[in-house]
Amino acid sequence: MKKFIIGSIVCVLFLVSALVVFATGENIISMRLGGDQPAEAPGEKSYSFFAERMKEETDGQIIITVYPNAVLGDNLELIEQVQAGVLEISTASMGWLNSFVPIVDVFSTPYLFRDKEHYWKVLDGEVGHEIAGYIEGAGMKLLYWVDAGARSFYNNVRPIYTPDDLKGLKIRVMGSEVMIKTMKALGASPTTTSFDEVYSALQTGIIDGAENNPPSINLMKHNEVAKYFSVDEHMMVPDCLLINLDVWNKLTEEQQDIFIKLSKEAQEFAKEEWAKQEEEALEIIAETTEINEIPDKSDFIEAVKSLQESLSDQFEGYIEKIQAVK
Ligand code: GCU
């Protein structure tokens, strides 16, 4: 009798576990996607859109769970995890990715792009494609470039009209040699801080200021702790979405095609969202912070000219290649 009861229990347990395996579907591929911005940010919204569309297009066979707000780590840590294969997908700013793929620091070259149209022609063209090849060489595949607008200064000391106004100001930058050199060329004292620590660094006066695009400043509420925002638009440093290369290579060709198709959709989604949010962000920033435009940027451009020339060799002619894109 005892044997019968034990046997029955074992049988039931076996059936239950078989059912669980069946119900959860052995074939379902689950991936985690790490972001470093609030969920409402244009890029993050495009990642959620991408995940939703993926579920639809694969009939639930590929499930991507998005973790915004740096809950899985700051940008540097997220990229590290994707490269190591402990995280499948992550956002990446070129201002952080350069630690793993040095050539992408070319995108932090000040006044590199003429305008948004030029930026997209470069990213979606041959240069963008070649840079994606370098990223692949570091074990990660670029799914799509994400609009990250133009970066400008905000600080608590004075409005910036010319590079002279930056003298002696401690300005936070991303983990990029080119950003550090740019700040020095403009007369500021750069310091690298992770994105999620900028608010408190501004609040406590550890830094005098930082530089970023309007939607990021607004969504991270940096304007609450910054008196002046000066629109000098010194660089346009793109973000992108990355997937671990081994994870990518394990997908079937059909699944890869779905990723490629949805990447295009999500990129467009992010662009539209960006355009909407950039305007709105400036209006919200203006409620707390004095904004000044800098219509003539020639002093800034002049101050970084020799830096640009010196970066030319380091980036294997990419600065010239980018500038030549019409
Ligand atoms: C931008 C970018 C982020 C990046 C951040 C930063 O907002 O979109 O990906 O982390 O700048 O300054 O660190």
Side-chain angles (χ1 to χ4, degrees):
M1 186 63 184
K2 209 173 163 190
K3 266 192 188 156
F4 176 75
I5 292 173
I6 292 173
S8 306
I9 291 174
V10 169
C11 254
V12 168
L13 281 178
F14 176 77
L15 275 175
V16 167
S17 59
L19 264 176
V20 168
V21 169
F22 179 74
T24 50
E26 266 177 317
N27 297 329
I28 291 179
I29 301 175
S30 298
M31 299 188 186
R32 292 178 311 152
L33 184 161
D36 72 335
Q37 296 254 8
E40 314 82 60
E44 298 287 338
K45 274 191 161 178
S46 82
Y47 306 152
S48 299
F49 169 84
F50 184 72
E52 257 169 56
R53 291 284 294 115
M54 188 62 72
K55 192 174 162 194
E56 269 169 33
E57 288 280 314
T58 62
D59 292 323
Q61 289 304 296
I62 300 182
I63 298 293
I64 300 175
T65 312
V66 183
Y67 296 87
N69 272 318
V71 291
L72 299 182
D74 64 29
N75 210 334
L76 196 66
E77 292 162 342
L78 290 173
I79 302 167
E80 225 161 42
Q81 292 173 57
V82 170
Q83 192 185 42
V86 290
L87 174 66
E88 291 80 18
I89 307 176
S90 157
T91 189
S93 167
M94 300 305 116
W96 295 107
L97 183 62
N98 67 80
S99 293
F100 309 85
V101 190
I103 196 102
V104 305
D105 213 11
V106 68
F107 291 123
S108 292
T109 305
Y111 300 105
L112 176 66
F113 296 106
R114 291 187 299 276
D115 49 31
K116 238 338 161 30
E117 201 189 327
H118 180 211
Y119 171 84
W120 279 115
K121 270 203 177 140
V122 170
L123 295 178
D124 285 341
E126 210 181 298
V127 172
H129 186 73
E130 285 173 17
I131 299 285
Y134 283 91
I135 298 174
E136 229 165 286
M140 295 166 281
K141 163 135 187 107
L142 182 140
L143 290 171
Y144 61 99
W145 295 103
V146 181
D147 204 339
R151 302 174 77 94
S152 292
F153 290 108
Y154 50 110
N155 83 92
N156 277 315
V157 180
R158 53 184 166 254
I160 310 298
Y161 289 98
T162 71
D164 276 349
D165 298 322
L166 283 161
K167 284 249 151 60
L169 298 195
K170 197 161 182 194
I171 301 291
R172 173 270 175 181
V173 290
M174 293 193 270
S176 147
E177 248 340 280
V178 177
M179 288 187 97
I180 289 173
K181 285 181 178 163
T182 302
M183 294 306 129
K184 288 184 179 162
L186 291 172
S189 307
T191 179
T192 293
T193 314
S194 81
F195 188 46
D196 50 328
E197 283 167 4
V198 176
Y199 186 100
S200 67
L202 280 167
Q203 196 175 35
T204 55
I206 290 176
I207 53 173
D208 294 314
E211 48 79 62
N212 218 315
N213 54 62
S216 298
I217 297 169
N218 167 42
L219 291 165
M220 298 298 281
K221 303 193 189 302
H222 292 174
N223 53 303
E224 286 180 0
V225 283
K227 289 191 190 127
Y228 308 103
F229 178 61
S230 309
V231 191
D232 72 304
E233 301 187 319
H234 51 268
M235 47 182 82
M236 296 174 82
V237 188
D239 287 350
C240 73
L241 192 66
L242 297 175
I243 183 165
N244 171 275
L245 196 57
D246 293 334
V247 171
W248 173 259
N249 287 334
K250 279 189 197 126
L251 295 171
T252 64
E253 212 169 296
E254 193 194 337
Q255 288 166 335
Q256 289 182 347
D257 287 344
I258 295 175
F259 267 78
I260 293 166
K261 174 180 142 184
L262 299 187
S263 291
K264 288 197 183 110
E265 284 185 21
Q267 186 186 55
E268 281 312 307
F269 180 98
K271 273 191 205 175
E272 281 167 30
E273 195 60 36
W274 187 273
K276 250 193 277 169
Q277 288 201 22
E278 197 166 37
E279 283 289 306
E280 279 169 21
L282 280 168
E283 283 167 27
I284 298 169
I285 294 170
E287 289 168 15
T288 53
T289 307
E290 188 184 311
I291 301 184
N292 69 284
E293 299 287 332
I294 306 170
D296 180 10
K297 302 187 176 93
S298 51
D299 284 350
F300 289 86
I301 296 169
E302 192 52 40
V304 296
K305 212 166 165 206
S306 66
L307 168 66
Q308 256 198 15
E309 284 160 13
S310 74
L311 291 174
S312 179
D313 285 346
Q314 182 180 335
F315 293 123
E316 303 164 29
Y318 270 105
I319 293 188
E320 291 75 8
K321 264 196 211 174
I322 290 170
Q323 285 170 337
V325 174
K326 289 285 168 258

Short mmCIF file of all heavy atoms in Angstrom, two decimals, residues 36-37 75 91-93 96 148 151 172 174 194-195 211-213 216 239, ligand 1:
data_model
loop_
_atom_site.label_atom_id
_atom_site.label_comp_id
_atom_site.label_asym_id
_atom_site.label_seq_id
_atom_site.Cartn_x
_atom_site.Cartn_y
_atom_site.Cartn_z
N ASP A 36 18.75 52.20 -19.71
CA ASP A 36 19.25 53.05 -18.61
C ASP A 36 18.43 54.32 -18.42
O ASP A 36 18.78 55.17 -17.63
CB ASP A 36 20.74 53.39 -18.81
CG ASP A 36 20.96 54.38 -19.94
OD1 ASP A 36 20.12 54.46 -20.85
OD2 ASP A 36 21.99 55.08 -19.92
N GLN A 37 17.34 54.43 -19.18
CA GLN A 37 16.53 55.63 -19.11
C GLN A 37 15.16 55.28 -18.53
O GLN A 37 14.76 54.12 -18.55
CB GLN A 37 16.30 56.16 -20.54
CG GLN A 37 17.56 56.60 -21.23
CD GLN A 37 17.65 58.12 -21.32
OE1 GLN A 37 16.85 58.84 -20.73
NE2 GLN A 37 18.62 58.61 -22.04
N ASN A 75 24.76 52.05 -17.94
CA ASN A 75 25.02 51.74 -19.35
C ASN A 75 26.28 50.90 -19.55
O ASN A 75 26.29 49.93 -20.31
CB ASN A 75 25.10 53.04 -20.16
CG ASN A 75 24.65 52.84 -21.59
OD1 ASN A 75 24.74 51.74 -22.14
ND2 ASN A 75 24.18 53.89 -22.21
N THR A 91 20.59 48.57 -24.39
CA THR A 91 20.81 49.86 -25.01
C THR A 91 22.30 50.19 -24.85
O THR A 91 22.96 49.66 -23.96
CB THR A 91 19.94 50.93 -24.30
OG1 THR A 91 20.00 52.14 -25.05
CG2 THR A 91 20.45 51.24 -22.90
N ALA A 92 22.81 51.06 -25.72
CA ALA A 92 24.21 51.49 -25.57
C ALA A 92 24.39 52.85 -26.19
O ALA A 92 24.00 53.08 -27.34
CB ALA A 92 25.15 50.49 -26.24
N SER A 93 24.96 53.76 -25.42
CA SER A 93 25.37 55.04 -26.00
C SER A 93 26.81 54.87 -26.48
O SER A 93 27.61 54.19 -25.81
CB SER A 93 25.30 56.15 -24.95
OG SER A 93 25.97 57.29 -25.45
N TRP A 96 29.58 55.33 -24.07
CA TRP A 96 29.99 54.25 -23.15
C TRP A 96 30.52 53.04 -23.92
O TRP A 96 31.46 52.38 -23.48
CB TRP A 96 28.79 53.81 -22.29
CG TRP A 96 28.29 54.87 -21.37
CD1 TRP A 96 27.13 55.60 -21.49
CD2 TRP A 96 28.94 55.39 -20.19
NE1 TRP A 96 27.04 56.50 -20.46
CE2 TRP A 96 28.12 56.39 -19.65
CE3 TRP A 96 30.15 55.08 -19.54
CZ2 TRP A 96 28.45 57.10 -18.50
CZ3 TRP A 96 30.48 55.79 -18.40
CH2 TRP A 96 29.64 56.78 -17.89
N ALA A 148 19.56 60.07 -30.47
CA ALA A 148 19.85 60.63 -29.13
C ALA A 148 20.11 62.13 -29.24
O ALA A 148 20.71 62.73 -28.34
CB ALA A 148 21.01 59.90 -28.47
N ARG A 151 23.62 67.28 -27.86
CA ARG A 151 23.90 67.54 -26.43
C ARG A 151 24.32 68.99 -26.20
O ARG A 151 25.09 69.55 -26.98
CB ARG A 151 25.00 66.59 -25.94
CG ARG A 151 24.65 65.12 -26.13
CD ARG A 151 25.80 64.20 -25.78
NE ARG A 151 25.98 64.04 -24.35
CZ ARG A 151 25.46 63.05 -23.63
NH1 ARG A 151 24.69 62.15 -24.21
NH2 ARG A 151 25.70 62.96 -22.33
N ARG A 172 30.19 67.13 -15.89
CA ARG A 172 30.10 65.67 -16.00
C ARG A 172 29.99 65.25 -17.46
O ARG A 172 29.24 65.85 -18.23
CB ARG A 172 28.86 65.18 -15.23
CG ARG A 172 28.57 63.70 -15.40
CD ARG A 172 27.65 63.40 -16.58
NE ARG A 172 27.50 61.96 -16.78
CZ ARG A 172 26.78 61.39 -17.72
NH1 ARG A 172 26.12 62.13 -18.58
NH2 ARG A 172 26.71 60.09 -17.84
N MET A 174 30.19 61.44 -20.18
CA MET A 174 30.14 59.98 -20.21
C MET A 174 31.57 59.44 -20.20
O MET A 174 32.53 60.22 -20.19
CB MET A 174 29.40 59.51 -21.47
CG MET A 174 27.93 59.87 -21.49
SD MET A 174 27.00 59.00 -22.79
CE MET A 174 27.15 60.12 -24.15
N SER A 194 28.30 58.10 -13.87
CA SER A 194 27.26 57.35 -14.58
C SER A 194 25.98 58.20 -14.60
O SER A 194 25.76 59.06 -13.75
CB SER A 194 27.04 55.98 -13.95
OG SER A 194 26.22 56.09 -12.83
N PHE A 195 25.16 57.92 -15.60
CA PHE A 195 23.97 58.73 -15.88
C PHE A 195 23.04 58.84 -14.67
O PHE A 195 22.54 59.92 -14.35
CB PHE A 195 23.25 58.07 -17.07
CG PHE A 195 22.11 58.83 -17.64
CD1 PHE A 195 22.20 60.17 -17.93
CD2 PHE A 195 20.92 58.17 -17.96
CE1 PHE A 195 21.14 60.87 -18.50
CE2 PHE A 195 19.86 58.84 -18.53
CZ PHE A 195 19.97 60.20 -18.80
N GLU A 211 26.12 67.83 -19.50
CA GLU A 211 25.66 68.13 -20.85
C GLU A 211 24.87 66.93 -21.33
O GLU A 211 25.24 65.79 -21.06
CB GLU A 211 26.83 68.51 -21.76
CG GLU A 211 28.04 67.60 -21.73
CD GLU A 211 27.81 66.37 -22.55
OE1 GLU A 211 27.60 66.50 -23.77
OE2 GLU A 211 27.83 65.27 -21.96
N ASN A 212 23.75 67.20 -21.96
CA ASN A 212 22.92 66.10 -22.46
C ASN A 212 21.86 66.66 -23.39
O ASN A 212 21.81 67.87 -23.64
CB ASN A 212 22.27 65.32 -21.31
CG ASN A 212 22.24 63.82 -21.58
OD1 ASN A 212 21.89 63.41 -22.68
ND2 ASN A 212 22.62 63.02 -20.60
N ASN A 213 21.01 65.75 -23.90
CA ASN A 213 19.93 66.19 -24.80
C ASN A 213 18.69 66.54 -23.97
O ASN A 213 18.52 66.02 -22.86
CB ASN A 213 19.65 65.07 -25.81
CG ASN A 213 19.36 63.75 -25.11
OD1 ASN A 213 18.40 63.63 -24.36
ND2 ASN A 213 20.22 62.76 -25.32
N SER A 216 16.47 63.72 -22.20
CA SER A 216 17.13 63.05 -21.06
C SER A 216 17.16 63.95 -19.83
O SER A 216 16.93 63.49 -18.71
CB SER A 216 18.57 62.66 -21.42
OG SER A 216 18.55 61.74 -22.48
N ASP A 239 22.71 56.57 -29.68
CA ASP A 239 22.51 55.35 -28.90
C ASP A 239 22.24 54.23 -29.90
O ASP A 239 22.02 54.48 -31.08
CB ASP A 239 21.26 55.46 -28.01
CG ASP A 239 21.45 56.39 -26.82
OD1 ASP A 239 22.59 56.81 -26.56
OD2 ASP A 239 20.45 56.71 -26.17
C1 GCU B 1 21.97 60.08 -23.27
C2 GCU B 1 21.84 58.71 -23.79
C3 GCU B 1 22.01 57.68 -22.71
C4 GCU B 1 23.27 57.95 -21.94
C5 GCU B 1 23.21 59.32 -21.37
C6 GCU B 1 24.43 59.72 -20.55
O1 GCU B 1 20.84 60.48 -22.61
O2 GCU B 1 20.59 58.57 -24.43
O3 GCU B 1 22.06 56.42 -23.27
O4 GCU B 1 23.49 57.02 -20.94
O5 GCU B 1 23.08 60.23 -22.41
O6 GCU B 1 24.76 60.91 -20.61
O7 GCU B 1 25.03 58.91 -19.86
#
